[in-house]
Amino acid sequence: MNKYINYLSVIYAFLLPVSRGGISILTALLFISWLFSEDFKSRVGFLKSDRTIFYILAFVGFSLLSLLWSENIPSGIYYIRKYWYFLSIFVIAAVVEKRYLHYMISAFLSGMLLSEIISYGVFFELWSFKNATVDFPNPFMSHIQYSMFLAFTSLLLLSRIFYEKSFKPKIFYTLFFMTTTANLFINAGRTGQSAFALSLFIVGFLHVKNKIIAFLGMSVLLFGILFASYTISPNFKARVDAGASDIQNIISKEDYCSSIGLRLAVWQIGGEIFSKEPLLGIGVTNDMNALKQSIDNEHPNMECAKIMPSYHNFYVQTAVHLGLIGLFSYMMIFYSLLKSGIKDKFYSDLLIIFVSVYSISSLVENMFHEQFPAAFFALFCGIFLAKKRIEHEI
């Protein structure tokens, strides 16, 4: 059974960037297979002792507990149900063998390559695919989520370029890095572009001993990428110009009816709601009634923000729903991951890059709660915890 779980984990990694149905089916298959594996009880013992697992369970458990003071319990249950995608973390962390970790990362990159090929075909109008368009050539998920996937993939490949000593693999990863980064900047997702720009320096600091040279080198690389993208990519240029216009309208006219303006509005209102219930929050709910009531009572100039389906910032959303206790447990998930003590430098560096990209992206989107980003977290959290387990078993 464990052998089949390893195979399923590789398939799961490949399907993650390209199939909603694949994510759901493989998550269920992995967990059910694990329940019937021979060493299920002993593997559970490992999970009980892991701090990251503890904080994940604490976060989900406190979310369920918050239903007691939520105004809309059915809505809250509907919201929490999406956390079932985290079940695959337990299976991967407890079962996957050492050699399959490498296969899983390669499978994920293969899934991303397939997604990129489709994206490029849509962008250059070679074919149509689902709801993807020339302006938003993201074939399987929203442009915000896809940009985060691309940012992480690009930085993973850049890290591999530093690690590879053989010429042919280095050339392959360089070309893959270039196409992935280009795909990121023809995409309309400013979230992933920002996460890439900031996390790029982390890659430099991890791989170059002289930090001044690392900073200057990554600065030159980033400037070259941004300049080329603004010059060549109409999507990137349009989004940068729109962002500048949004900020100008907010400052001069207090006009919040724009992409950036709507986010700033809900963040401000979310902060005010949190300040009224700072310890426990208002309870998990899938509706935005508290936001709408606050707009009616205190912020009529932000009327357009009523259309927002969420706070578009998982830190704000968690603070509103679960207060300081929930926010602390959420942030401790990533802190405990960083403190896992993985000895293998490739995996320890990749962990830092992953946490950086995911944390920055969560500043402008509810990544931890949406299907593709939740499964993305589950995959790599599982990989890092599995690596930690394997190193301790040796």
Side-chain angles (χ1 to χ4, degrees), residues 318-384:
T318 301
V320 170
H321 285 173
L322 302 175
L324 289 173
I325 294 177
L327 185 60
F328 172 79
S329 62
Y330 173 70
M331 296 182 73
M332 284 301 295
I333 293 172
F334 293 92
Y335 177 76
S336 60
L337 257 182
L338 289 172
K339 301 296 285 185
S340 296
I342 296 174
K343 298 175 184 178
D344 187 299
K345 183 167 171 53
F346 172 74
Y347 284 93
S348 64
D349 288 352
L350 187 62
L351 169 57
I352 295 171
I353 296 167
F354 171 78
V355 170
S356 175
V357 171
Y358 204 93
S359 300
I360 293 170
S361 299
S362 295
L363 288 168
V364 290
E365 184 62 20
N366 296 332
M367 295 299 183
F368 206 63
H369 183 255
E370 300 299 329
Q371 184 190 31
F372 278 107
F376 175 59
F377 172 81
L379 172 68
F380 281 95
C381 180
I383 287 174
F384 297 133

Side-chain angles (χ1 to χ4, degrees), residues 3-72:
K3 181 173 68 174
Y4 291 126
I5 291 174
N6 280 277
Y7 294 159
L8 288 173
S9 297
V10 175
I11 298 171
Y12 173 75
F14 172 74
L15 292 177
L16 194 152
V18 299
S19 174
R20 289 186 181 276
I23 291 172
S24 298
I25 294 170
L26 266 297
T27 300
L29 282 176
L30 282 168
F31 190 70
I32 293 170
S33 300
W34 182 48
L35 291 177
F36 290 96
S37 62
E38 294 180 0
D39 53 354
F40 173 74
K41 291 183 179 180
S42 62
R43 300 291 185 173
V44 170
F46 157 74
L47 296 175
K48 286 181 179 179
S49 64
D50 187 83
R51 287 184 175 272
T52 303
I53 296 296
F54 170 79
Y55 284 113
I56 291 172
L57 293 175
F59 178 81
V60 177
F62 190 66
S63 298
L64 288 167
L65 184 64
S66 76
L67 295 175
L68 296 176
W69 57 88
S70 174
E71 292 185 358
N72 192 334

Side-chain angles (χ1 to χ4, degrees), residues 200-201 204 208 211-223:
L200 181 65
F201 291 94
V208 181
K211 304 310 175 189
I212 296 176
I213 294 177
F215 177 79
L216 293 176
M218 292 302 113
S219 296
V220 171
L221 177 60
L222 179 61
F223 177 79

